Amino acid sequence: MENKNEKTIRFYDRRSFLGALGIGCLGAACFGGGGYGSGRPNRVDPYPPAGDLFIEFNHSFDHGYVRELDFRTAQASVTYHADGKEFRREVVAHLTRDVILVRLTAGGKPFDAVIWLDRNHEPACRLSHKATRAGLIMDGRIKDGLSFRVQAAVRQRGGVVSLDRRNRMLVGGAHEILIAVNIGTSAKGRDPARECGALRAPAISWDALVR
């Protein structure tokens, strides 16, 4: 690990790294308090993730793996090399758009990725999944408790998109993939789907989004 000018933390290995992206309204949206472990009914465990965004790349073993957390831009990133390409994943919690943004690139070269949503399965939580060419939706309901939605709107530059029977998006030959993750819950009597809004990724460039 390196502290670069006290404004960037850089990690050179694969040891655990936990970053708090999404502090505030979006980060708090999935927190149900209480929990099955505490014995309080109709609650989820304290501070669980509403769901997980999975991204699978089709490449060989990587090398030069580096993770960074930039305090100047509030942006986390992962960079590594595989198959002659520099793969880069950038993540930021966007305050005004109230979404978590993920950008995937491979140094300007085309790449393939499989993207899907899921979460740790609990007996008292019923899940349903939907995949469209605009993105992914996962709806859930805790028995006698919260309802929630996690959605990931996807926009790619170049390449083609297809869907499989497991409600996953298969993106082939893209030069850039932008994912906008949103979360809605019924914690305050709201409809999770309405709280998330339309399944639509921002149409502007990454540089304009993080400026």
Side-chain angles (χ1 to χ4, degrees), residues 132-181:
T132 73
R133 294 183 181 276
L136 306 162
I137 293 174
M138 180 176 68
D139 288 314
R141 181 175 178 81
I142 307 295
K143 183 179 180 181
D144 300 322
L146 281 173
S147 296
F148 62 91
R149 167 170 287 195
V150 182
Q151 67 181 38
V154 180
R155 174 173 61 85
Q156 91 279 0
R157 179 166 56 85
V160 295
V161 175
S162 60
L163 311 173
D164 68 11
R165 295 182 179 181
R166 298 165 59 186
N167 292 300
R168 305 185 307 173
M169 294 187 70
L170 287 66
V171 183
H175 286 80
E176 176 187 55
I177 299 175
L178 178 67
I179 308 170
V181 180

Side-chain angles (χ1 to χ4, degrees), residues 21-27 29 53 74 90-102 150-153 178-184 195-204 206 209-210:
L21 290 171
I23 295 174
C25 294
L26 179 59
L53 173 68
E90 300 164 272
V91 184
V92 66
H94 201 287
L95 178 63
T96 58
R97 291 180 179 268
D98 198 26
V99 293
I100 294 175
L101 297 171
V102 182
V150 182
Q151 67 181 38
L178 178 67
I179 308 170
V181 180
N182 207 342
I183 302 168
E195 187 174 347
C196 283
L199 184 65
R200 184 170 54 247
I204 62 177
W206 178 261
L209 284 168
V210 299

